Amino acid sequence: MFVRTASERDLVAIRALLVETWHATYDAIYGAAKVTEITDEWHSIASLKARLTRPNSEFLVADDGKRIGGMVFAAATTDQKIVLLNQLYVHPDYQRRGIGRMLLEEIEASFPEARTLRVEVEEANAPAIAFYRAQGFLTAGNTADCGGGSGLPALIFERPLG
Ligand SMILES: CC(C)(COP(=O)(O)OP(=O)(O)OC[C@H]1O[C@@H](n2cnc3c(N)ncnc32)[C@H](O)[C@@H]1OP(=O)(O)O)[C@@H](O)C(=O)NCCC(=O)NCCS
């Protein structure tokens, strides 16, 4: 797997990756119907396409030449020193092979001005919490509205950069 910038021709494959990974991760927490509702909105081709051109952001994929195994989208907040990791998803077939760590490292290198990397994590998503803790993230509070507009509570984790 190598990491590269996402492009418009990847969007169908990225959407498929997100839908499959979301169902595998969140059906047991939110129920399949709610997951379908969220992925239809957040991971529509139009929503993903808008991210390709968002200023101060990075949209990357992990690709082995045949298949996209993971994706990450991160963007600077209004405070340019804080970067929010909006999405980090590795397909279930490819998890625990270092791809998540690789994508995270590339994001860190992409925002040299940033001092803090922040992520919101569903508190029932124990594997993701274990992953972020293993990468040096620490608890920094919580939010009642994960992702903005979802109404879902989440834990906030942060890692200092630089
Ligand atoms: C969480 C996720 C991004 C991690 O990516 P990954 O490629 O599977 O993780 P890596 O192989 O890079 O793991 C690096 C280290 O993190 C820790 N880690 C990762 N997954 C873990 C798990 N399920 N349980 C415990 N520790 C874990 C381990 O220390 C691991 O190192 P090791 O495999 O040498 O022990 C990925 O599993 C995923 O996409 N999960 C489903 C979606 C999700 O929850 N995304 C995050 C939303 S906020």
Side-chain angles (χ1 to χ4, degrees), residues 2 20 26-27 29 36 51 62 83 90 96 99 131 154:
F2 54 94
E20 280 183 52
Y26 298 118
D27 278 6
I29 302 172
T36 299
R51 285 172 205 174
V83 168
V90 176
R96 284 316 274 276
I99 295 170
F131 168 78

Side-chain angles (χ1 to χ4, degrees), residues 9-43:
R9 64 180 181 280
D10 299 317
L11 295 182
V12 169
I14 293 171
R15 170 164 163 77
L17 166 92
L18 285 167
V19 169
E20 280 183 52
T21 310
W22 261 69
H23 279 295
T25 308
Y26 298 118
D27 278 6
I29 302 172
Y30 304 137
K34 179 77 180 167
V35 169
T36 299
E37 189 188 306
I38 294 175
T39 54
D40 278 352
E41 187 186 329
W42 292 7
H43 310 140

Side-chain angles (χ1 to χ4, degrees), residues 21 25-26 88-91 94-102 119-121 125 127-128 130-132 134-135:
T21 310
T25 308
Y26 298 118
L88 173 59
Y89 289 95
V90 176
H91 190 279
Y94 292 94
Q95 288 173 11
R96 284 316 274 276
R97 297 189 196 180
I99 295 170
R101 189 177 357 205
M102 208 162 69
V119 63
E120 297 172 354
V121 189
N125 188 356
F131 168 78
Y132 288 116
Q135 309 312 311

Side-chain angles (χ1 to χ4, degrees), residues 46-75:
S47 303
L48 296 173
K49 192 173 172 184
R51 285 172 205 174
L52 288 173
T53 51
R54 194 158 135 193
N56 300 317
S57 76
E58 283 292 328
F59 193 162
L60 308 173
V61 292
D63 184 350
D64 66 0
K66 292 191 192 116
R67 200 174 154 188
I68 288 176
M71 63 77 67
V72 63
F73 177 76

Side-chain angles (χ1 to χ4, degrees), residues 121-144:
V121 189
E122 158 60 50
E123 63 184 40
N125 188 356
I129 291 171
F131 168 78
Y132 288 116
R133 286 201 186 282
Q135 309 312 311
F137 282 76
L138 299 170
T139 318
N142 50 60
T143 171

